[in-house]
Amino acid sequence: MITLTIAQIVHALSGEPFLAGGDTLATTVSGAVDTDSRLIGPGDVFVAKPGEHTDGHLFVPTVAEAGAALAIVEHPVDAQITQIVVADVVTALADLARENVAGVRAHGRLQIVGITGSNGKTTTKNMLARILEDEGETVSPRASFNNEVGAPLTMLRVGDGTRYLVSEFGASAPGEIARLAGLVEPDFGVVLMVGLAHAGGFGGIEATFHAKSELVRALRPGGLAVLNADDPRVAAMAPIADERGVSVRWFGRGEGADVRAGEIEVTATGTSTTVTVDGVEHALRLRVLGAHHVMNALAAIATATALGVDAAAAVARLETLELAERWRMQPLGTDRIRIINDAYNASPDSMAAALRTLAQITRPGERTVAVLGAMSELGEFAEEEHDRVGLLAVRLGIQRIVVVGADARRMFLEAISQGSWDGEAVFFATADEAFDYLQGELRDGDRVLVKSSNAAGLRFLGDRLGESVS
């Protein structure tokens, strides 16, 4: 965070100060900001957020002992630390993030990129950050810090020397992207795709379209929307950009895209294609698995080159990226038995992409094994979409389908109904049961995909399998 006086913070948060330790309203604060008391050190700012399992206010004395400079609270706490009392600490966190970014923008050359889409946000964010970090100081979210807490915490890492802020905007309901993007009014907005991820919260695909288009509406006039030309719903955001006085840069597979990909080859060691950037071809060899990640790479390249990065340099930097993110198409194990742990997020689109990748990377003589858990937040679409995954797994010829958890059971039932009834498809209520089965089932030459939403917890099963076969 930039240096601010307590008076400036009080004004930005519409709070009430309770000074301690000789502090005055003129005292300055410039430390890191976090809601996790374990990450707070001398000079930092602690935001005492109430949570599902505990209350941050309980840890105000702890951060005071750790040397924190300031606590933002919803009620005064008996601790020797200056506190600012606010009506709602999550709202205050957003207000402080807005103040911080505005301060940097007023005196520096900060460029802000917002990324949204039903799938691929974190991978694209990491790809773009990898390209930009060689150009200047770049701040991007840790993991998937893309909600009402994570996005402001990322914005509060911006300092006077920051040249690029890459923000990831997720949402589970209408209006969330508008609020988050509205904190910083991005210069560039990347929309990857409109799918059924979180459709239960939005109320359907058209509502999802309107929610994702909130990023385009939030761009500052004169900005740039980087849009997926292959997704009709994303392409339909171009008129919104025009209304906002925002230009459009297209990425995709078609000839009309400013940044486009040619034929794609997927192997167990990476993904290859040719990328054409404004008419010039570049060979691209990604270490990240999966054809679907080519679109994420195109979005990153389209944005980076719009920011002035040389296309060849952007491509070369992407080729150094070994992993999109932990638990996202993460290779584990050995060549003998390869585990692909992709169980951090799952939607119908990403589930299908992961299954297709599994089929593509498996050579003759090797066996495909899909360990599948539930997809969250699909609402009324949940039963139909889980059925579709079971059907797709069978049609792709996946040789072992291991379904885990009651919420995913329909995948198993659909696979059985499609003919995978002779041991090809099995169901287990728990990850421990699935692990015990797989310990005796896996053999040399197996290529194993572990895929589910975060809530299903299969990412830890993937880790255990990776360790067991290494």
Side-chain angles (χ1 to χ4, degrees):
M1 185 178 77
I2 62 174
T3 300
L4 296 170
T5 65
I6 292 176
Q8 288 174 310
I9 298 174
V10 168
H11 181 265
L13 307 189
S14 299
E16 181 180 359
F18 287 79
L19 301 173
D23 285 345
T24 70
L25 291 176
T27 299
T28 59
V29 178
S30 60
V33 181
D34 216 299
T35 58
D36 188 338
S37 61
R38 297 166 296 182
L39 302 178
I40 297 295
D44 290 346
V45 178
F46 177 58
V47 181
K49 185 179 78 69
E52 292 182 13
H53 306 294
T54 189
D55 186 343
H57 292 80
L58 299 174
F59 300 95
V60 173
T62 302
V63 300
E65 292 178 4
L70 177 67
I72 299 171
V73 297
E74 292 180 358
H75 57 78
V77 177
D78 184 13
Q80 291 301 306
I81 182 174
T82 291
Q83 301 168 48
I84 298 177
V85 178
V86 298
D88 181 276
V89 294
V90 175
T91 299
L93 181 66
D95 290 338
L96 187 57
R98 180 191 291 110
E99 182 77 6
N100 185 64
V101 172
V104 175
R105 207 168 206 169
H107 302 105
R109 50 176 182 159
L110 178 65
Q111 294 282 291
I112 300 175
V113 179
I115 300 173
T116 195
S118 298
N119 296 299
K121 294 183 294 296
T122 299
T123 298
T124 304
K125 170 261 298 184
N126 287 338
M127 287 179 166
L128 181 57
R130 173 62 196 92
I131 295 170
L132 295 179
E133 65 187 11
D134 286 356
E135 301 289 318
E137 182 182 312
T138 301
V139 170
S140 64
R142 297 188 293 263
S144 290
F145 272 34
N146 61 22
N147 62 11
E148 62 181 0
V149 174
L153 286 176
T154 299
M155 297 168 189
L156 283 160
R157 289 169 45 216
V158 170
D160 290 318
T162 304
R163 186 171 175 188
Y164 304 106
L165 168 62
V166 181
S167 285
E168 179 183 338
F169 298 130
S172 56
E176 292 183 15
I177 292 173
R179 286 194 296 274
L180 294 174
L183 297 176
V184 294
E185 203 177 19
D187 304 284
F188 298 80
V190 182
V191 185
L192 298 167
M193 66 177 299
V194 175
L196 281 174
H198 310 296
F202 290 121
I205 195 71
E206 290 307 317
T208 304
F209 161 79
H210 288 293
K212 300 305 180 185
S213 68
E214 290 171 9
L215 176 57
V216 179
R217 298 181 192 278
L219 297 177
R220 59 173 45 198
L224 180 72
V226 180
L227 303 179
N228 181 351
D230 297 351
D231 186 319
R233 291 185 175 88
V234 176
M237 297 179 191
I240 299 172
D242 187 58
E243 292 171 8
R244 288 283 299 167
V246 168
S247 302
V248 174
R249 186 162 169 79
W250 299 100
F251 67 93
R253 299 292 303 278
E255 289 295 322
D258 301 296
V259 179
R260 65 180 185 273
E263 293 300 314
I264 299 172
E265 180 185 2
V266 180
T267 70
T269 59
T271 308
S272 299
T273 188
T274 299
V275 177
T276 302
V277 184
D278 299 319
V280 180
E281 288 190 357
H282 305 267
L284 172 64
R285 167 73 178 177
L286 293 172
R287 302 188 193 185
V288 181
L289 299 180
H292 53 297
H293 287 310
V294 169
M295 291 298 287
N296 301 329
L298 295 181
I301 294 168
T303 307
T305 50
L307 280 161
V309 179
D310 177 72
V315 168
R317 292 168 195 171
L318 280 182
E319 292 183 331
T320 69
L321 191 68
E322 296 185 7
L323 181 66
E325 184 77 48
R326 186 183 181 191
W327 299 318
R328 288 176 173 82
M329 298 302 288
Q330 180 180 5
L332 300 170
T334 66
D335 287 339
R336 185 176 65 85
I337 300 177
R338 176 65 67 194
I339 311 294
I340 303 170
N341 195 353
D342 192 32
Y344 190 84
N345 275 321
S347 68
D349 293 310
S350 69
M351 188 73 81
L355 285 169
R356 290 190 180 100
T357 298
L358 176 63
Q360 288 170 332
I361 68 172
T362 304
R363 300 188 298 268
E366 298 174 343
R367 186 174 64 159
T368 51
V369 180
V371 184
L372 307 176
M375 301 177 287
S376 300
E377 300 181 59
L378 291 178
E380 64 182 286
F381 306 99
E383 292 186 356
E384 176 185 355
E385 293 304 327
H386 282 87
D387 288 348
R388 288 180 186 274
V389 171
L391 172 62
L392 178 63
V394 173
R395 291 192 172 173
L396 287 172
I398 304 302
Q399 293 155 282
R400 287 289 182 274
I401 301 169
V402 182
V403 178
V404 185
D407 291 343
R409 187 176 176 83
R410 289 188 68 105
M411 295 181 188
F412 165 71
L413 296 175
E414 182 65 20
I416 291 291
S417 73
Q418 295 296 325
S420 294
W421 49 265
D422 192 20
E424 296 95 341
V426 294
F427 172 79
F428 297 99
T430 69
D432 286 341
E433 292 173 313
F435 179 77
D436 291 341
Y437 165 78
L438 289 163
Q439 283 284 87
E441 173 67 18
L442 295 183
R443 66 193 191 200
D444 286 2
D446 281 353
R447 300 295 175 253
V448 186
L449 169 71
V450 183
K451 180 69 175 173
S452 74
S453 284
N454 194 5
L458 296 198
R459 62 196 186 281
F460 304 118
L461 172 60
D463 287 343
R464 289 176 68 190
L465 289 172
E467 292 173 3
S468 72
V469 302
S470 296

